[in-house]
């Protein structure tokens, strides 16, 4: 069962014991989500501003659901300090703030309508969406979805297929072990290596899916040379022939040759 402390000397505090690989859901009406993944066996939530309240909807060892509320005339700022085990799966939403998360061994969903998102390494799959800032993450072990309306996207290596979309910045990624879709209206696209089909669209920059060194290795394996080309922006869809792909390439409709 949950233990809720409401003493005047400390912030509102919720504590729920959890088992490994549990699912943790937090719905915050406003505020920054600061996620620490060093807790041994419980979910602990503190809210710094007393105008914002939180309560546990579900408190089981396999599932923890916490939701918050704020007055219509809320003023000031609020930090949600969320302590969880590294193994749990996370589904976190704030309607007005940043999200900062340490390394996680689970699947992760992070969503905010009003800030940036930073995350460490994620062993599972990841869906990260913001309406108002950049996204920066470490390596992601599974499939990944990164979307922003107001900033750049930067991520390390990804273990599965990936979908990037931003309206306001560059896209940068390491090695992607799967199909890639990348679209930006405001910057360059740089992918170190893609091991699947790539469709990259940019309206305001240079798409550079690298590297020539990999292309040389592909030329040894393929019956014809693998070419790496720098293609201009301006709503250009760059087909996967100019990427470092370890398989057949598909040409997207409208792709420039």
């Amino acid at each position: 069962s949950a233990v809720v402390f409401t003493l005047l000397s400390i912030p509102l505090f919720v504590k729920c014991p959890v088992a490994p690989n549990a699912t943790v859901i937090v719905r915050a009406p406003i505020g920054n989500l600061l996620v620490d993944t060093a807790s041994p066996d419980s979910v602990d939530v503190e809210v710094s501003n007393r105008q914002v309240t939180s309560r546990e909807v579900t408190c089981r060892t396999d599932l923890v659901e916490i939701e918050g509320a704020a007055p219509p005339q809320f003023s000031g700022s609020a930090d949600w300090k969320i302590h969880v085990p590294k193994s749990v799966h996370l589904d976190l939403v704030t309607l007005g703030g940043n999200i900062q998360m340490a390394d996680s061994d689970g699947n992760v969903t992070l969503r905010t309508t009003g800030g940036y998102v930073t995350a460490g390494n994620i062993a599972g799959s990841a869906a990260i969406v913001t309406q108002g800032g950049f996204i920066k993450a470490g390596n992601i072990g599974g499939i990944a979805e990164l979307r922003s309306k107001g900033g750049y996207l930067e991520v390390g290596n990804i273990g599965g297929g990936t979908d990037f979309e931003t309206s306001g910045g560059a896209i940068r990624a390491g090695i992607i072990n799967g199909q890639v879709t990348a679209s930006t209206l405001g910057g360059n696209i740089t992918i170190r290596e893609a091991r699947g089909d790539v469709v990259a669209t940019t309206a305001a920059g240079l798409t550079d899916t690298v590297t020539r060194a990999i292309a040389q290795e592909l030329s040894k394996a393929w019956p014809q040379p693998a070419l790496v080309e720098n293609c201009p922006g301006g709503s250009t869809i760059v087909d996967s022939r100019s990427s470092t792909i370890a398989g057949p390439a598909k040409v997207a409709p409208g792709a420039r040759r």
Side-chain angles (χ1 to χ4, degrees):
S1 61
V3 179
V4 180
F5 299 90
T6 57
L7 299 177
L8 294 178
S9 59
I10 62 173
L12 185 65
F13 187 72
V14 175
K15 184 181 183 71
C16 290
V18 291
N21 302 314
T23 297
V24 176
I25 301 171
V26 176
R27 299 290 183 261
I30 196 166
N32 304 313
L33 306 186
L34 311 177
V35 186
D36 169 65
T37 57
S39 176
D41 56 8
S42 66
V43 176
D44 308 332
V45 178
E46 302 175 49
V47 183
S48 64
N49 192 317
R50 291 196 170 277
Q51 296 181 77
V52 180
T53 60
S54 67
R55 69 182 184 92
E56 52 88 12
V57 178
T58 304
C59 184
R60 303 198 311 255
T61 56
D62 66 329
L63 174 64
V64 174
E65 296 180 87
I66 297 172
E67 66 178 24
Q73 295 78 27
F74 174 80
S75 61
S77 62
D79 288 337
W80 291 64
K81 297 181 179 179
I82 303 169
H83 307 274
V84 299
K86 192 177 180 182
S87 66
V88 301
H89 307 296
L90 295 171
D91 185 349
L92 311 179
V93 177
T94 176
L95 300 181
N98 305 318
I99 301 177
Q100 301 176 44
M101 189 194 75
D103 294 349
S104 172
D105 287 342
N107 299 321
V108 172
T109 299
L110 306 174
R111 290 174 286 175
T112 175
T113 60
Y116 65 79
V117 180
T118 63
N121 295 323
I122 299 170
S125 299
I128 305 175
V129 180
T130 174
Q131 302 294 324
F134 66 84
I135 296 173
K136 186 174 183 179
N139 298 328
I140 298 174
I143 62 175
E145 176 186 356
L146 278 70
R147 300 181 185 276
S148 173
K149 295 295 185 182
Y152 67 82
L153 309 178
E154 183 175 323
V155 66
N157 300 331
I158 302 175
T162 305
D163 190 356
F164 296 112
E165 182 179 359
T166 177
S167 300
I171 297 173
R172 294 184 291 272
I175 300 171
I176 300 177
N177 192 27
Q179 180 174 321
V180 181
T181 300
S183 174
T184 175
L185 298 179
N188 303 331
I189 299 175
T190 304
I191 300 172
R192 180 181 174 188
E193 180 183 343
R195 297 171 178 172
D197 298 327
V198 176
V199 176
T201 307
T202 174
L206 175 68
T207 303
D208 183 19
T209 315
V210 210
T211 64
R212 297 179 186 277
I214 302 296
Q216 293 177 355
E217 295 300 317
L218 292 177
S219 296
K220 298 176 183 179
W222 290 353
Q224 61 184 25
L227 302 178
V228 177
E229 301 176 358
N230 287 328
C231 300
S235 300
T236 300
I237 299 176
V238 179
D239 68 46
S240 53
R241 293 170 305 157
S242 59
S243 64
T244 54
I245 295 172
K250 294 181 180 179
V251 179
R256 295 184 59 173
R257 296 176 180 268

